[in-house]
Structure formats: C-alpha cells, structure tokens
Amino acid sequence: MRMPILAILLAAAGVALQPATVRAQGAVLVKPGESRAVIGAAEAHEKASKGELVLVDIRHPEEWKETGVPASGHAITMHQKGSDFLTKLAAATGGDTSRPVAIICATGSRTSFLQGPLAEVGFKAVLDVSEGMMGSRAGKGWLKAGLPVRKFAA
C-alpha cells in the first residue's frame, strides 16, 4: 500500500492523522460521515481546460512515460518527499488552497487514499478522478475516453 508515502507527506506538513480519520480497511482517508468528492475524467478535463480547477496527475514518472500526462493537467508525483509534493501542488494552485484540485492516478486507488490527507493539510476542494487514466469500476478512464494527453518530458 502507499501509507509510507502518505506518512512522509503528512509528517512533512506537520499533520498527524487521528485513528478516527481512517475508514474501514484504510482504503479511503476521510473522516467518518464525509463523502468523497468525485469527478469524471471528461468533466475534470473540461473544467481544467477552462481554469475552473487544477488537474494533477499524481502517478509515478515511469507511468507518465508509458501513457503520457493529461493535456490539461500538471504532472506532480506523490512519490517524492512530502514537502516537495506540497510545494509543487501549492505552486500549481497559485497558493490558493480553496481552489478546486482534481487528482488522478491510474485507477483511482492512490487518489482516493490521498484525498483525505490533502484536506487535512488545508486543501478545501479535493476531487478524486476515480476512474483514473486506465479505467476502473467508476468509469472507462481518461485514455479509453480518448481525452488528450501530452508526452511526458523529464
């Protein structure tokens, strides 16, 4: 699972999750009673293209090399030092933690896991593109939907 990365992210931000924050089986880090905010890939692309939200692909750079990055998104891997991730995310939002942020990974697992911790560090509107790039139970995914990608250049 990705808990060590999240632990680093949260520790770097000075946030400690309380046990009540973790939902059954540690699958989704949101407080009890809260619902996950989700958005479809096509809607995320449309809103990001219009500047209505910031779309962030949190996958590993090797994944970006294989499939490309959403054309309307930022490539900011969650697989880095937590403080570096937060610094880059803050730059992408112009420092505005109230600006909506949609996060996408391959199939929605990492994004659903990261959604709660980002809220814990102050991001007020974190949306999960739960169908991901490759598709999941939530939908066919960015690539199968034919949404635009750009080549990743390291």
Side-chain angles (χ1 to χ4, degrees), residues 1-2 6 26-29 36 58-59 78 103-116 128-133 135-138:
M1 201 98 191
R2 305 284 185 223
L6 292 174
V28 181
L29 292 176
R36 286 182 40 233
I58 64 165
R59 297 177 301 149
M78 69 179 281
I103 51 177
I104 189 168
C105 65
T107 61
S109 294
R110 287 170 282 186
T111 54
S112 68
F113 200 69
L114 189 57
Q115 194 174 25
D128 176 9
V129 184
S130 58
E131 62 191 274
M133 292 294 288
S136 70
R137 285 179 277 169

Side-chain angles (χ1 to χ4, degrees), residues 88-154:
K88 291 172 184 173
L89 186 57
T93 63
D96 182 358
T97 57
S98 67
R99 190 164 179 206
V101 174
I103 51 177
I104 189 168
C105 65
T107 61
S109 294
R110 287 170 282 186
T111 54
S112 68
F113 200 69
L114 189 57
Q115 194 174 25
L118 288 176
E120 290 281 336
V121 297
F123 288 90
K124 304 199 179 14
V126 182
L127 306 167
D128 176 9
V129 184
S130 58
E131 62 191 274
M133 292 294 288
M134 310 304 276
S136 70
R137 285 179 277 169
K140 60 184 171 184
W142 190 281
L143 297 173
K144 289 180 185 165
L147 296 169
V149 293
R150 62 181 161 79
K151 189 172 183 165
F152 173 68

Side-chain angles (χ1 to χ4, degrees), residues 57-65 77-79 110 152:
D57 186 336
I58 64 165
R59 297 177 301 149
H60 194 278
E62 290 302 315
E63 294 173 277
W64 299 334
K65 288 177 188 174
T77 183
M78 69 179 281
H79 304 280
R110 287 170 282 186
F152 173 68

Side-chain angles (χ1 to χ4, degrees), residues 7-32:
I8 293 167
L9 171 77
L10 295 171
V15 174
L17 286 178
Q18 301 302 316
T21 305
V22 181
R23 195 177 279 176
Q25 299 173 9
V28 181
L29 292 176
V30 291
K31 291 181 181 174

